[in-house]
Amino acid sequence: MAASANKYKLIKKLGEGTYAVVYKATDAQNNTYAVKRIKLGEFKDGIDISAIRELKFLQEIRHVNVIALYDVYSDQETLNLVLEFLVSDLEHIIQDKSLIFQTADIKAWMLMSLRGLHHCHRSYIMHRDLKPSNLLIAADGNIKIADFGLARVAAYPQEYLTPTVVTRWYRAPELLLGSRHYTESVDIWAMGAIFAELMLRTPYIPGASDFDQVELTFRVLGTPTEEIWPGVSSLPLYDDLMTKITQRHPVPPPSEISLRFMAASTAALNLLNSMLEYDPSKRPTTESALLSPYFVEELPRPTKPQNLPKPPSFSS
Amino acid sequence: MAETEGQANDTKDNLNVNRFSNADVEYEGGSPNTNSWLFTLDELHDRTPSRLDGISYEGEVESRFKGINFIIMAASRLRLPHNTIFAASCYFHRFYIRKSFRKYHQYDIAATCLFIAAKSEETARRVKDVVIVCAKVAQKNDSAVIDEQSKEFWRWRDMILFNELVVLETICFDLEVANPYDILQDFVAELKLEERSTDVCRSSWKFLNDTCRSMAILAATPRELAVSAIYWGGVLLGKPITDEPNEEWYLNLKVPKEKIEIVCALMADAYKSRTGEQKYGTV
Ligand SMILES: Nc1ncnc2c1ncn2[C@@H]1O[C@H](COP(=O)(O)OP(=O)(O)O)[C@@H](O)[C@H]1O
């Protein structure tokens, strides 16, 4: 850590995030990196808390399926995170309609993502913003979980958490209903929504607004009741939302769900349904998901990372 | 990960930098971060930047004690929890493993460490609130008028915002601090200590709180601190729990006795410097 500022040469701007600009960079050995450059002095409360979180968590977590932080340096005006350079992300892959996904490919992406997430959860870290664009892809095909700007340590049961996390389409129902005591299972829900999206090639529950997200979730998965989700009616926004949403939807039977995912096997559907359980305590942990028949019994085996579909621009 | 040379312009302060090359963890699947911020008694006694800068050991221990006291007093006024205090204390002690008290005043660094720890522990406070509390604690006067009209306010604010990056850089951007309180809690449950003696429990907890003020957190892992706390919690009360029939509890914890002795020696040094510091704002 604490490298000198001139060890890395910034080559070109790759993109702009919420609190930083990302550049492609090289060092003297011609290794390529992505440098996330955080402007200081722009925030009246000092260094942005997202940057603090990324610093803290990326130093702690080392895993093949989590983006690597190689170095950190600063100069007078900026704080710079030197990250692994990644060529693409799952959102681009999903949207590139020239690519054909085999079931084994989807299994490989899910497997790598859940492995990375398992490592986070095992270290008591919730990501809280999983979505296809935060699942980056390395030149060798490996998935890398990125963007820990919203991550936090798993809370004590009595601790208050903000429910305004996770990009809307991947937001778990307890968050939509304003829960302040959620757990790592919000990440499992997000992975479930991503799993569905990989199979459908389009977002599964793409709400147009926060309110619409609730309505759409209920339309797609049924209106939750005390019976299927004990405690739902005491969540902060429940009463309010239920007076606004007059139509009640039944929970779709398995046969209907399997019609939505024509190519999916029973093992895949079972895993998907469990990840999208309304009751957070019924969702699998990363471990039980990784040990589900979908991964450990059912064929085909997941595709090897280097054989996964890649966009034509992909250089390795 | 870590660059083995520290900040080039401050080489004199960097006696221990070779230690930080431990932070250079091979990048591989799932290996934990093993950044090492642990030092031997000799290193802590004789080779810190402050010692090399001509400050006596006792002087350094006292400055550290004062700095941590500042953190604890400001934290209680900002209603920050003990894990934030612990993280701030770790950052503070680590900072002075690489910089001298002659160059950086303990209150400035204490305030900055607390400001950073509040963010990294998800208990963020506005810089304005931190500034007002710190200025009051530094003046030892809770009724001092500190606001955006006062010079003191701006001095503290600019200092904290400037030093935020200085501290981060000095502690190698390493914000991860394992929390010994959770470990202590687990031991207490495992040993059914609560049922055996609430007094021992309470004094263990107090001992652990006090480790912050000493260099013990630069000499022992959180686990070793927690075990020392249980051990000494009993000893201090004259009820050593090793006297209990099942003495193997201690063996099961697998912490060498010498480690506990080191922790206690450093704690004793810190307690000695306590004189004169207790008058204002006991917490
Ligand atoms: N490791 C990386 N390798 C290559 N490009 C990256 C990397 N990280 C981020 N980028 C690019 O920079 C943009 C902004 O990144 P980021 O700050 O993480 O975005 P946000 O804050 O919107 O999540 C991304 O959209 C992506 O194009």
Side-chain angles (χ1 to χ4, degrees), chain B residues 63-64 66-67 70 92 96 101 104-111:
Chain B
S63 297
R64 286 180 185 265
K66 284 181 178 168
F70 184 97
F92 179 90
Y96 287 109
F101 279 100
Y104 293 90
H105 191 275
Q106 65 264 20
Y107 289 173
D108 289 356
I109 298 308

Side-chain angles (χ1 to χ4, degrees), chain B:
Chain B
M1 198 117 200
E3 176 78 350
T4 40
E5 317 142 65
Q7 290 86 324
N9 53 351
D10 238 338
T11 40
K12 184 162 164 256
D13 286 345
N14 285 328
L15 83 152
N16 277 319
V17 283
N18 56 332
R19 285 253 148 203
F20 304 122
S21 59
N22 292 353
D24 208 335
V25 187
E26 279 300 296
Y27 173 61
E28 51 168 281
S31 75
N33 190 345
T34 55
N35 274 1
S36 175
W37 288 96
L38 296 180
F39 303 87
T40 64
L41 269 187
D42 282 351
E43 287 171 316
L44 296 177
H45 268 280
D46 304 326
R47 306 219 297 271
T48 65
S50 302
R51 296 286 291 116
L52 298 181
D53 223 4
I55 295 174
S56 70
Y57 175 66
E58 292 71 25
E60 169 156 12
V61 169
E62 190 182 343
S63 297
R64 286 180 185 265
F65 193 95
K66 284 181 178 168
I68 302 299
N69 243 12
F70 184 97
I71 287 175
I72 293 172
M73 288 192 288
S76 78
R77 284 157 177 77
L78 288 162
R79 301 223 212 120
L80 289 166
H82 58 71
N83 50 324
T84 305
I85 296 177
F86 189 82
S89 305
C90 286
Y91 303 161
F92 179 90
H93 283 296
R94 291 171 180 182
F95 181 87
Y96 287 109
I97 277 296
R98 307 190 71 201
K99 303 285 180 190
S100 161
F101 279 100
R102 270 207 212 296
K103 285 208 188 106
Y104 293 90
H105 191 275
Q106 65 264 20
Y107 289 173
D108 289 356
I109 298 308
T112 310
C113 288
L114 187 61
F115 181 60
I116 296 172
K119 289 184 197 178
S120 69
E121 294 295 313
E122 297 290 340
T123 50
R125 295 290 183 269
R126 292 183 306 176
V127 68
K128 187 178 158 203
D129 299 333
V130 175
V131 161
I132 291 173
V133 162
C134 287
K136 288 178 176 177
V137 171
Q139 293 183 11
K140 302 199 183 355
N141 177 7
D142 277 332
S143 44
V145 182
I146 308 286
D147 57 26
E148 281 159 50
Q149 265 72 54
S150 58
K151 226 169 80 191
E152 273 300 273
F153 179 93
W154 293 103
R155 192 193 77 74
W156 277 92
R157 182 187 166 278
D158 293 347
M159 184 283 294
I160 289 177
L161 292 182
F162 177 80
N163 277 333
E164 186 177 22
L165 193 56
V166 174
V167 169
L168 278 177
E169 201 163 50
T170 306
I171 65 173
C172 304
F173 301 99
D174 186 5
L175 295 169
E176 172 55 18
V177 167
N179 179 345
Y181 291 100
D182 291 347
I183 305 176
L184 179 61
Q185 219 145 39
D186 289 349
F187 286 160
V188 165
E190 205 175 299
L191 299 167
K192 301 206 176 18
L193 204 54
E194 200 102 56
E195 291 128 68
R196 284 158 69 182
S197 165
T198 44
D199 287 347
V200 172
C201 254
R202 209 170 306 135
S203 66
S204 300
W205 191 264
K206 187 172 175 319
F207 183 97
L208 194 57
N209 274 335
D210 283 347
T211 54
C212 286
R213 301 171 199 258
S214 75
M215 286 205 253
I217 54 181
L218 294 172
T221 63
R223 188 186 158 79
E224 291 163 351
L225 291 176
V227 172
S228 305
I230 292 194
Y231 186 84
W232 278 95
V235 171
L236 291 175
L237 275 183
K239 294 184 194 167
I241 61 171
T242 38
D243 289 351
E244 301 279 336
N246 51 337
E247 209 180 307
E248 72 271 31
W249 77 267
Y250 172 73
L251 298 173
N252 287 340
L253 297 178
K254 295 196 180 68
V255 168
K257 260 225 163 81
E258 303 83 71
K259 250 294 151 40
I260 296 187
E261 277 156 15
I262 288 175
V263 169
C264 293
L266 291 167
M267 291 282 284
D269 291 343
Y271 282 131
K272 269 184 242 151
S273 72
R274 187 167 209 167
T275 24
E277 262 300 304
Q278 305 180 86
K279 309 236 156 50
Y280 169 72
T282 39
V283 190

